[in-house]
Amino acid sequence: MAFQSYCANQMGVLGTAIPKTASCYVAVNWYKNKGWFRYGKYYGGTYTPKAGDLVFYYEKGSYCHVGMITGTPVNGFLQTVE
């Protein structure tokens, strides 16, 4: 998440499109509070991620990692920068 915040700062969108935090948990709650968080099909939702979206990985009861979608899935795998 620190990398995503750094990139957002370089683009001038830190705090508006991406929160200033190194915590995936804090970021997820930030997006949920804004009504911008959606669950993908893998997690029981209906949302299909698209380029520019952040994808949060959930493991062992917590959000543990984040990547930015860079393009459409290839052979069912998300294309990300992390």
Side-chain angles (χ1 to χ4, degrees):
M1 191 60 224
F3 174 69
Q4 301 300 338
S5 288
Y6 168 80
C7 292
N9 188 53
Q10 297 304 303
M11 295 183 297
V13 297
L14 186 64
T16 57
I18 294 178
K20 182 179 181 179
T21 183
S23 167
C24 289
Y25 175 80
V26 169
V28 166
N29 285 329
W30 189 82
Y31 285 110
K32 284 181 177 180
N33 288 337
K34 291 186 169 292
W36 296 350
F37 190 86
R38 302 287 181 266
Y39 288 98
K41 294 176 184 177
Y42 185 83
Y43 292 105
T46 59
Y47 187 76
T48 300
K50 61 185 180 306
D53 288 344
L54 294 183
V55 58
F56 291 90
Y57 299 94
Y58 190 82
E59 186 177 303
K60 298 179 184 175
S62 67
Y63 292 97
C64 59
H65 189 70
V66 63
M68 181 174 283
I69 305 292
T70 59
T72 57
V74 174
N75 296 326
F77 292 95
L78 296 175
Q79 303 302 299
T80 64
V81 62
E82 304 177 26

